[in-house]
Amino acid sequence: MIVGTAGHIDHGKTALVRALTGTDADRLAEEKARGITIDLGFAYADLGGGTVTGFVDVPGHERLIHTMLAGAGGIDLALLVVACDDGVMPQTREHLAILQLLGLSRGLVALTKADLADTDRRTQATAQIRAALAGGGLADAPIISVSSLTGEGIDALRHALIQAEAQTAARAADAGFRLAVDRSFTLQGAGTVVTGTVLSGRVAIGDLVTISPSGIAARVRGIHAQNRPATEGLAGQRCALNLAGEAVAKDAIHRGDIVLTPALHAPTDRIDARLSVLGSEPKPIGTWFPARLHTHATEVGARIVPLSDPIVPGGGGPVQIVLDRPIAATIGDRFILRDVSASRTIGGGHFLDLRPPARKRRTPDRLALIAAADAPEPLAAMLATAPVDATVFARDRALSPAQTAAALSGAVVIAGLALSPAHRDALQQGIADTLARFHAENPDLPGLGRERLRLSLTPRLPKDAFLALLRAEAEAGRITLDGAFVRQPGHEVRLSPEDEALWDRISPVLLGDLRFRPPRVRDFATDLGADEKEIRRILRLTQRLGRTDQIAHDHFFARPVTAQMVAILRDVAAATDDGWFTAALFRDRVQNGRKVAIEILDFLDRHGVTLRRGDLRRLNPHRLDLFG
């Protein structure tokens, strides 16, 4: 269990931690000289329950709230400290508001300096604390009078902490590993060491990790968990990691960085979130409101964009947070907003989407998706709205493979995209209905273009996922894929008897002695005494039927001849030393003149059968089967 202190300056937080653990959490010379906590302090002790409890001691000064926030993000239990002689003070209230915004509902209150107060004063201070806690998550927190000087109440507080430790639920040790860095330093003989709270997952000696958002790669050389040497660190523990790597150095890793499993490294500078504004805020939060965002140990400048109306003091709603720089974050992480002058806390909330759009962020569909992400079962709610990238969903929530499989158990996953069964069924029906309608309206066309079909369906899938869906439908026999076209099984374009009769007069020419330089459309029209438009229409129909290929404008070749020319190019390329050949070598084999030879090669270039470099070409082995 990690316990975090909170409270006004000089109310005895550090002295209380020392009385409980025997450790002075003030480690800086300036702290000892001035008698106040300036930076985060840490202490560890077995309080008697058989496990090690970690304490994070935070500053109480109003100018050091940002440091307090760096230590408050990963705690399990809040130890609110209020001095009997002062009672509830301004920083008591601000710390308490921060704890509530961070969602902490477990805590104890230590009424310190009890040796300076009589019974009446203790009663008054207790009533004042109860009033301050009323209506919040810590409303029922026990209040224990203690004195670090005389030892009064320390055993009772220690017993309450032992009970709380026993009731602390284990964090998600089977999730992806994340540790929020609050210190980075160098130890002689060891190298770079970072400390922080393990937010999720586990890490072991020898593991490869990434420092995010910088992307520095590192290896874990050693671990101290709860201030003891260990072979692994688990979620919920404070850990010190000895890191090694080419770019690893004390100055390269900063407070606020996250050490994580490499697969989770995906920094973001734009986040959709749920924001609650404190009632003490003087005016509503409007578009492009400037603030400082704190999450775990990270502090960064931000602009707030409400996704509906401005958020009034005491209210809440969805917002988009635009950050000054990328940070490492996870969906569900809590955050605090403070004003840019660091004089007051504005509000806080939790992250909902780490990859939101910069445009169309207020559309009904977008707002529905954000609301779904905030549901108790987010994936099911999100899938009811739109398909979800399964990889991004798992990564941005630091889910383990087992957790991901459980979350996706009710979804249909196609090429990494999760759909609800209802959306999958709607797409299948949409494909069938659209193709039936298209064939009825265009009986002379071989099929509907794949991209045109994709754009006509709802929900609209990415190209890769849509192609995977089409292939699955084709394997099931519900559609037929024909190159870039999609058609119903059994649909076939047929020429009319009149068109077939004219085609019977054209095809012998395309397959005869002139097959490598056949007549153009206008020449066919002259030779056959037919209308040029009719010749062109029939040849385009035969192209759709796979009988011909339009090599150039109004210049059609029979499909078997195209295949023969590709075979000739194989021989031409094989006869060269390196597989590269000139247009002249091809022209000499087919004897059709330079202009027509270039037209044919340009056609093959466009289809990727040949690859061109200057005046040279070579065959692309991956496309040689394109024309049979």
Side-chain angles (χ1 to χ4, degrees):
M1 180 175 72
I2 307 297
V3 179
T5 64
H8 197 75
I9 185 172
D10 201 29
H11 274 204
K13 295 185 292 297
T14 303
L16 181 60
V17 171
R18 184 168 57 246
L20 288 167
T21 67
T23 300
D24 186 356
D26 281 346
R27 54 189 171 81
L28 304 179
E30 185 180 359
E31 292 178 316
K32 296 183 183 300
R34 296 174 60 185
I36 64 172
T37 299
I38 297 172
D39 202 353
L40 298 176
F42 308 99
Y44 306 87
D46 182 348
L47 300 176
T51 58
V52 176
T53 300
F55 289 82
V56 181
D57 187 30
V58 305
H61 198 286
E62 62 180 341
R63 294 182 180 176
L64 298 174
I65 290 290
H66 65 286
T67 305
M68 177 268 180
L69 286 165
I75 65 175
D76 298 301
L77 181 136
L79 181 56
L80 183 65
V81 178
V82 183
C84 275
D85 53 346
D86 280 345
V88 175
M89 298 292 283
Q91 255 37 69
T92 310
R93 297 187 185 279
E94 185 165 18
H95 282 205
L96 182 58
I98 288 169
L99 295 175
Q100 292 174 342
L101 290 170
L102 291 175
L104 276 165
S105 59
R106 301 179 66 223
L108 297 170
V109 180
L111 191 56
T112 56
K113 303 186 181 181
D115 55 294
L116 301 180
D118 56 21
T119 302
D120 289 342
R121 179 55 195 157
R122 294 187 188 190
T123 301
Q124 292 172 7
T126 299
Q128 192 180 31
I129 293 169
R130 281 290 172 218
L133 297 178
L138 300 177
D140 298 325
I143 301 174
I144 302 172
S145 297
V146 298
S147 170
S148 301
L149 184 63
T150 67
E152 177 189 347
I154 297 298
D155 287 342
L157 179 58
R158 184 179 288 112
H159 180 70
L161 288 167
I162 292 172
Q163 287 185 317
E165 175 97 59
Q167 297 167 1
T168 300
R171 298 198 195 184
D174 59 342
F177 169 69
R178 296 184 302 136
L179 176 143
V181 176
D182 48 44
R183 290 180 65 203
S184 175
F185 53 92
T186 300
L187 281 180
Q188 187 173 1
T192 301
V193 175
V194 300
T195 68
T197 301
V198 181
L199 305 173
S200 63
R202 65 178 67 219
V203 65
I205 293 175
D207 283 357
L208 298 179
V209 295
T210 298
I211 292 94
S212 193
S214 63
I216 295 173
R219 179 176 58 84
V220 179
R221 294 175 57 186
I223 300 173
H224 271 62
Q226 300 293 81
N227 208 35
R228 295 180 178 181
T231 58
E232 67 174 4
L234 302 175
Q237 294 179 331
R238 279 201 56 79
C239 286
L241 304 183
N242 181 199
L243 300 178
E246 184 177 348
V248 172
K250 177 190 72 171
D251 296 335
I253 307 174
H254 309 95
R255 174 176 286 177
D257 288 349
I258 304 289
V259 181
L260 42 69
T261 299
L264 301 184
H265 174 59
T268 179
D269 60 3
R270 187 182 298 271
I271 302 172
D272 280 354
R274 175 80 185 181
L275 172 65
S276 296
V277 177
L278 293 177
S280 57
E281 188 62 15
K283 60 182 181 180
I285 305 300
T287 299
W288 226 236
F289 184 91
R292 300 292 295 176
L293 180 137
H294 301 259
T295 177
H296 297 302
T298 301
E299 179 184 358
V300 61
R303 294 279 183 165
I304 310 303
V305 182
L307 298 181
S308 54
D309 297 329
I311 302 177
V312 299
V319 297
Q320 186 165 109
I321 303 172
V322 183
L323 303 173
D324 290 351
R325 60 175 175 82
I327 67 170
T330 298
I331 290 174
D333 282 355
R334 292 276 181 167
F335 68 92
I336 298 293
L337 290 183
R338 303 199 81 225
D339 72 309
V340 291
S341 65
S343 62
R344 72 181 191 278
T345 299
I346 295 167
H350 56 280
F351 298 148
L352 296 174
D353 190 346
L354 307 184
R355 321 287 159 195
R359 294 186 171 187
K360 298 183 179 179
R361 52 193 167 200
R362 293 188 177 100
T363 63
D365 288 347
R366 182 64 200 163
L367 292 176
L369 193 62
I370 295 170
D374 205 16
E377 296 291 337
L379 184 59
M382 292 167 70
L383 290 178
T385 303
V388 173
D389 186 314
T391 301
V392 172
F393 180 88
R395 182 196 63 206
D396 287 353
R397 289 165 175 78
L399 301 183
S400 67
Q403 290 172 320
T404 301
L408 295 172
S409 60
V412 178
V413 181
I414 302 174
L417 192 73
L419 294 85
S420 68
H423 277 156
R424 188 270 317 275
D425 295 346
L427 284 168
Q428 290 176 331
Q429 190 61 48
I431 290 171
D433 293 345
T434 302
L435 289 179
R437 186 166 55 251
F438 179 83
H439 289 323
E441 296 171 355
N442 305 276
D444 58 339
L445 296 180
L448 180 60
R450 206 165 60 201
E451 182 64 6
R452 183 177 167 188
L453 176 61
R454 183 182 76 89
L455 296 176
S456 71
L457 299 174
T458 301
R460 185 175 294 177
L461 300 186
K463 291 183 179 181
D464 290 348
F466 185 64
L467 180 57
L469 175 64
L470 290 182
R471 286 172 175 165
E473 291 295 286
E475 289 176 5
R478 289 187 284 268
I479 64 169
T480 298
L481 294 177
D482 185 7
F485 295 94
V486 186
R487 58 182 172 84
Q488 287 183 319
H491 174 77
E492 184 179 4
V493 177
R494 289 189 174 91
L495 300 179
S496 67
E498 295 79 11
D499 293 340
E500 283 285 1
L502 190 53
W503 168 246
D504 287 343
R505 300 172 64 190
I506 294 171
S507 59
V509 179
L510 294 179
L511 295 168
D513 294 339
L514 297 177
R515 62 189 180 279
F516 295 132
R517 50 174 181 177
R520 297 179 183 270
V521 170
R522 61 177 177 273
D523 300 324
F524 271 121
T526 301
D527 295 344
L528 300 177
D531 183 74
E532 183 177 333
K533 291 183 179 179
E534 280 297 295
I535 297 291
R536 184 177 295 106
R537 181 183 65 80
I538 290 170
L539 285 173
R540 286 179 175 170
L541 281 174
T542 59
Q543 180 193 7
R544 294 169 186 153
L545 289 169
R547 300 182 188 181
T548 62
D549 293 301
Q550 189 175 6
I551 298 295
H553 179 66
D554 280 358
H555 207 176
F556 292 80
F557 284 60
R559 172 59 64 84
V561 176
T562 305
Q564 186 181 357
M565 291 188 295
V566 172
I568 290 171
L569 285 173
R570 285 178 182 264
D571 293 340
V572 170
T576 65
D577 293 335
D578 55 5
W580 292 90
F581 56 87
T582 63
L585 291 174
F586 175 62
R587 176 203 61 198
D588 293 345
R589 284 292 303 272
V590 295
Q591 298 182 350
N592 60 359
R594 176 174 174 78
K595 181 178 179 181
V596 176
I598 291 294
E599 286 181 347
I600 295 167
L601 291 173
D602 285 346
F603 168 80
L604 295 175
D605 288 346
R606 291 195 298 274
H607 286 80
V609 176
T610 52
L611 303 174
R612 183 176 178 180
R613 186 180 69 191
D615 292 332
L616 297 175
R617 288 176 171 85
R618 67 178 177 86
L619 293 173
N620 180 1
H622 304 294
R623 304 285 285 176
L624 290 179
D625 60 348
L626 190 62
F627 295 101

